[in-house]
């Protein structure tokens, strides 16, 4: 891409913002919005001065500031779904108003607070909240994981290099299969693989009210077992006023986005409707790594005096060209003589850091996973709250692959030898449903929550051969299956949590969860290469107790300490991988009956965790400082073994003993009313106390004392935001330390430290165009044009390091319209 756009873009952005810098000040009106019954801050309330067409949205602490308004009496209104509208005449100078909103109905987002959301100064857990305003200021078209990297200890990367498509998240060094993810309290982790497929949730950030990132075991009492942390996402599509919104933009690497949303507002103080449609396309930074995403989000809510019922339907079909395969260092450095897997790039593919080894145009992923949520809440009086979350997720799709030098027998084809080229299609058809009932009893000094969870997954997996060169014989028919099996998983759990304050400023939290998780592998139609027809039914029983203490010795200071224990069962393919033709069931089960094909007592053990946390927060009106220390000790931790399977799945093993510990610091301040500074630093020490790794050669390697692969030694963020009435500019610096892609800790198998700078500017065009809801923004990523990598692993041979490069300097510009 030509670089000539860069300097004119900087000049244009600066010129657009400069006229706003000299605006003279007028009156300033600030305040805080709280629930009149509980005193809890009400986030995301709409604060407006109707006569002046001025409005802001309250932050996560209920605070708001309106500046540059005339020093005269004026009418102020506050709206939030579920509360009576507030209206009062105020005088701005010297005012710091406390707005007490009277609840008439409970908002839908309150449903998930009791069992999965942390509260500052009360919950004994390290966490950060990302507000709707912060999400809106950072989001353009990228996936959710990239948005969350401004929270301490969060790291993200993508296959195609520009964070649109297959994107991955880790917290405190734990990959997303060990991070519990919830949307409106609905578990999102795939029950079989524990993974989260963000590509099936395109443009979800447009509907996020806020995101809470908990670190460690956390407060969540259901869903996937939280080892590294919990991501709790809340959607809130409703506005108290009717609104039509349009967003469009374009940027580097053919990235384009279109989004249209309609909000009904509150109808008859009882109903609210919302609908959004989006499309995002991108060529990707890497060659032949395009993504085509469709997205929809529909919501309907009915509010009654004591009932709230909320229905969400969202999802969207996706198609993307696969790019999970990394490239060796010589390709990144432009070495044209290096061969990769015995082959060199063909056709017009260039050998550089953007190279994608999957050159076949048909190497695509095609999937659709609509989600249905019904969230109900009943509050007969102020002491009792009954909640139920029901969900159904339907996923179906396939991915096509072209492979070279494959054995015919691996695909149950007649004839000896190997195929030069073989095209295959792999299918999955999932039905995942469940419900989570809860009841909360508020009593003097605290609240008791009791609930349960039921989940059921049924997944059909099969694969077909579509072409073979040369064909093994005349009997070959395109579409011939070579594996076909069904996986099932059932989860039943119960939980209880007590939050009690025996004295003012002291809060005790105790919780326990007991769950039964049962896997089944059956209906397999094809034996593997050893002639094995394998099935199993494996049950895990898991206890997770938690205890914490929070102290507030003074109003501005809070301290907490907690101890928690948790376990996580292996994934389906860690118990036994039925897609691996060469897999010997005796290597997966301690007890395997070759006559019946039934395996019992898997060799892969559940991992066990003890989590010790200590934290403190000091908060004043204009700044907040938090510090957290943690020590997480593992037995039988399921760790990355250094390489990937042929399908891009990391291979894993149990480490008998390991420790994750570190410190996390964060600060947020507003030294001046228009200037906001926020930053954080996390330093991690993730090491094996005892671990022996088995090499591809069959040798054993002692990794005790080595760093656990897959996470940077440190992460740091700094964001500086300056806002005027009609414009704002924000700069973000992200720094990551060295991370190892395998457990050898070799410098050649590591990702070098890097620092990138992003810049964003936004201009409200209403004063110019006479249209209050019109604004434009521009984003420049990797401002200094750094060359760096964000992910990696070892090749199939277990020796060659491969890396996933990230995009160099790129930009995105967009337009927002609210009617």
């Amino acid at each position: 891409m030509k670089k000539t756009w860069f300097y004119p873009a900087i000049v244009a952005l600066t010129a657009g913002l400069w006229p706003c810098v000299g605006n003279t000040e007028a009156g300033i009106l600030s305040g805080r919005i709280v629930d009149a019954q509980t005193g809890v801050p009400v986030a995301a309330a709409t604060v407006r001065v109707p006569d002046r067409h001025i409005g802001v949205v309250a932050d996560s602490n209920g605070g708001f500031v309106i500046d540059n308004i005339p020093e005269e009496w004026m009418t102020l209104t506050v709206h939030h779904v579920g509360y009576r509208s507030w209206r009062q005449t105020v005088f701005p100078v010297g005012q710091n108003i406390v707005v007490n909103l009277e609840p008439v109905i409970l908002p839908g987002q309150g449903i998930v607070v009791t069992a999965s959301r942390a509260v500052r100064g009360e919950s004994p857990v390290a966490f950060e909240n990302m507000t709707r305003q912060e999400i809106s200021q950072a989001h353009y078209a990228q996936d959710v994981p990239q948005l969350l990297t401004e929270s301490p200890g969060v790291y993200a990367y993508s296959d195609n290099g520009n964070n649109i498509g297959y994107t991955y998240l880790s917290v405190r060094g734990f990959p997303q299969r060990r991070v519990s993810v919830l949307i409106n309290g609905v578990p999102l982790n795939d029950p079989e693989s524990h993974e989260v497929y963000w590509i099936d949730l395109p443009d979800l950030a447009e509907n996020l009210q806020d995101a809470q990132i908990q670190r460690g075991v956390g407060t969540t009492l259901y869903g996937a077992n939280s080892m590294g942390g919990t991501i709790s996402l809340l959607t809130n599509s409703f506005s108290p006023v009717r609104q039509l919104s349009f967003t469009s933009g374009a940027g580097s690497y053919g990235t384009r986005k279109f989004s249209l949303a309609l909000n009904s507002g509150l109808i008859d103080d009882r109903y609210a409707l919302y609908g959004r449609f989006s499309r995002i396309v991108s060529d990707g930074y890497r060659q032949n790594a395009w993504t085509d995403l469709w997205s929809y989000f529909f919501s309907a809510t009915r509010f009654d005096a004591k009932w709230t019922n909320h229905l969400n339907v969202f999802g969207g079909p996706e198609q993307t060209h696969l790019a999970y395969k990394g490239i060796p260092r010589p390709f990144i450095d432009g070495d044209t003589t290096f061969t990769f897997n015995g082959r060199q790039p063909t056709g017009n593919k260039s050998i550089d850091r953007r190279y994608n080894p999957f050159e076949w145009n048909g190497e695509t992923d095609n999937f659709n996973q609509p989600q249905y949520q019904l969230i109900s809440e009943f509050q007969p009086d102020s002491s009792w709250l009954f909640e139920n979350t029901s969900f159904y997720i339907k996923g179906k799709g396939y991915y096509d692959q072209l492979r070279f030098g494959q054995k015919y027998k691996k695909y149950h084809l007649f004839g000896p030898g190997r195929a030069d080229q073989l095209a295959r299609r792999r299918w999955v058809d999932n039905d995942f449903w469940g419900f989570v009932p809860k009841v909360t009893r508020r009593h003097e000094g605290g609240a008791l929550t009791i609930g349960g969870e039921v989940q059921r997954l049924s997944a059909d997996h099969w694969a077909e051969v579509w072409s073979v060169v040369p064909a093994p014989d005349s009997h070959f028919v395109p579409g011939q299956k070579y594996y076909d099996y069904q996986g099932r998983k059932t989860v039943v759990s119960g939980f209880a949590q007590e939050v009690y304050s025996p004295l003012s400023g002291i809060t005790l939290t105790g919780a326990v969860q007991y769950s039964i998780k049962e896997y089944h592998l059956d209906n397999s139609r094809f034996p593997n290469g050893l002639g094995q027809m394998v099935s199993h039914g494996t049950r895990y029983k898991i206890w997770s107790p938690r205890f914490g203490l929070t102290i507030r010795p003074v109003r501005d200071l809070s301290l907490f300490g907690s101890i928690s224990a948790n376990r996580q069962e292996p994934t389906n393919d860690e118990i036994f991988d039925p897609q691996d033709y060469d897999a010997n069931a005796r290597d997966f089960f301690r007890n395997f009956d070759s006559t019946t094909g039934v395996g019992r007592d898997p060799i892969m053990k559940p991992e066990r965790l003890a989590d010790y946390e200590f934290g403190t927060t000091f908060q004043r009106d204009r700044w907040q400082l938090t510090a957290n220390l943690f020590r997480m000790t593992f037995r039988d931790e399921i760790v990355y073994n250094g390489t990937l399977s042929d399908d891009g799945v990391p291979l894993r093993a149990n480490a008998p003993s390991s420790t994750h510990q570190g410190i996390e610091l964060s600060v947020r301040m507003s030294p001046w009313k228009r200037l906001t500074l926020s930053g954080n630093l996390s330093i991690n020490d993730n090491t094996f106390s005892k671990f022996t790794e088995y090499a591809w050669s069959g040798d054993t390697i002692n990794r005790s004392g080595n760093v656990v692969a897959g996470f940077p030694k440190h992460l740091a963020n700094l964001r500086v935001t300056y806002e005027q009435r009609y414009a704002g500019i924000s700069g973000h610096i992200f720094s990551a330390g060295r991370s190892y892609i395998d457990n050898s800790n070799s410098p050649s198998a590591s990702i070098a430290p890097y620092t990138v700078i992003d810049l964003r500017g936004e201009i409200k065009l209403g004063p110019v165009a006479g249209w209050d809801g019109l604004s434009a923004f521009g984003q420049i990523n990797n401002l200094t044009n750094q060359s760096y990598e964000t992910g990696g692993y070892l090749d199939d041979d277990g020796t060659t390091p491969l890396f996933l490069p990230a995009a160099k300097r790129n930009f995105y510009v967009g337009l927002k319209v609210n009617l």
Side-chain angles (χ1 to χ4, degrees), residues 380-638:
D381 55 47
S382 59
S383 299
W384 290 93
L385 177 63
F386 298 88
E387 306 162 85
N388 184 68
T389 300
S390 302
F391 64 91
Y392 173 62
I393 302 174
K394 173 64 177 178
K396 185 174 183 179
Y398 64 90
Y399 55 102
D400 290 333
Q401 298 174 306
L402 183 67
R403 292 296 178 261
F404 304 92
Q406 299 289 295
K407 295 179 181 179
Y408 290 129
K409 65 179 182 179
K410 180 178 179 179
Y411 297 87
H412 297 279
L413 301 174
F414 295 104
R418 298 173 180 266
D420 293 338
Q421 294 185 5
L422 183 145
R424 65 193 189 191
R425 174 170 293 181
R426 297 190 169 191
W427 284 90
V428 62
D429 187 355
N430 289 338
D431 289 281
F432 178 34
W433 60 265
F435 59 93
V436 184
K438 304 185 291 288
V439 58
T440 299
R441 172 73 166 95
R442 296 183 176 91
H443 55 78
E444 184 176 354
L448 173 66
T449 298
I450 298 176
E453 174 190 20
V454 175
Q455 290 186 22
R456 172 74 173 185
L457 170 77
S458 178
D460 292 320
H461 302 263
W462 71 96
E464 305 158 337
V465 178
W466 281 96
S467 69
V468 186
V469 179
D473 57 31
S474 59
H475 297 289
F476 173 72
V477 178
Q480 179 174 321
K481 291 184 178 181
Y482 65 94
Y483 70 71
D484 188 354
Y485 66 93
Q486 184 180 68
R488 292 180 288 122
K489 186 177 182 181
T490 302
V491 177
V492 178
S493 71
F495 55 83
Q497 175 180 273
E498 170 69 22
V499 180
Y500 180 62
S501 298
L503 298 172
S504 177
I506 297 178
T507 302
L508 300 172
T509 301
V512 64
Q513 178 194 20
Y514 177 69
S515 58
I516 299 174
K517 302 185 177 184
E518 188 167 291
Y519 285 96
H520 282 273
L521 170 65
D522 47 30
N523 297 330
S524 178
R525 293 179 50 196
F526 296 92
N528 63 10
L530 301 174
Q532 297 170 332
M533 299 284 290
V534 181
S535 65
H536 71 87
T538 304
R539 175 178 293 183
Y540 298 93
K541 300 178 180 180
I542 298 175
W543 282 98
S544 179
R546 309 166 198 190
F547 177 77
L549 170 66
T550 304
I551 302 174
R552 299 194 69 149
V554 294
R555 182 178 65 89
D556 298 328
L557 178 66
S558 66
L559 304 97
F560 78 84
S562 69
I563 179 171
S564 307
N566 210 350
R567 298 177 71 192
Q568 186 178 60
E569 77 282 3
T571 63
N572 190 51
D573 63 350
E574 290 168 347
I575 298 173
F576 179 77
D577 185 0
Q579 298 182 18
D580 187 351
Y581 178 80
D582 297 316
N584 188 341
R586 297 188 185 279
D587 295 332
F588 288 83
F589 299 97
R590 293 181 178 85
N591 184 347
F592 178 70
D593 189 335
S594 58
T595 59
T596 62
V598 176
R600 296 182 178 89
D601 193 8
I603 291 176
M604 183 72 79
K605 303 174 185 177
E607 52 185 351
R608 292 172 285 176
L609 164 67
D611 183 14
Y612 308 90
E613 306 266 350
F614 174 78
T616 181
T617 299
F618 189 81
Q619 184 171 349
R620 285 284 176 87
D621 291 338
R622 288 187 174 270
W623 61 280
Q624 174 182 290
L625 173 67
T626 64
N628 302 294
L629 296 171
F630 66 92
R631 180 178 174 85
M632 309 172 76
T633 59
F634 276 87
R635 294 182 64 185
D636 299 319
E637 181 180 3
I638 300 175

Side-chain angles (χ1 to χ4, degrees), residues 143-161:
D143 293 329
V144 170
Q146 189 63 30
L147 286 174
L148 304 183
T149 56
E150 292 191 47
S151 183
V154 179
Y155 186 74
Y157 70 94
S158 66
D159 285 345
N160 63 8

Side-chain angles (χ1 to χ4, degrees), residues 189 207 332 436:
N189 298 72
N207 294 99
I332 293 176
V436 184

Side-chain angles (χ1 to χ4, degrees), residues 688-706:
F688 293 112
S689 303
K690 182 180 180 182
F691 180 43
T692 299
E693 191 171 82
Y694 293 87
W696 285 95
S697 62
D699 297 333
T700 59
I701 306 173
N702 184 10
R703 301 298 194 193
S704 302
N706 282 19

Side-chain angles (χ1 to χ4, degrees), residues 34-50:
V34 299
D35 186 298
Q37 293 184 0
T38 66
V40 173
V42 178
T46 303
V47 185
R48 295 184 62 83
V49 181

Side-chain angles (χ1 to χ4, degrees), residues 703-750:
R703 301 298 194 193
S704 302
N706 282 19
V707 175
V708 180
F711 198 70
K713 179 70 174 179
H714 80 262
L715 293 173
N717 284 278
L718 175 63
R719 180 171 287 279
V720 181
T721 302
Y722 183 81
E723 293 183 295
Q724 289 279 341
R725 180 177 177 182
Y726 299 122
I729 189 168
S730 180
H732 176 230
I733 303 174
F734 177 79
S735 176
R738 183 175 299 277
S739 62
Y740 297 101
I741 66 174
D742 76 340
N743 299 317
S744 70
N745 294 178
S746 168
S748 63
S750 70

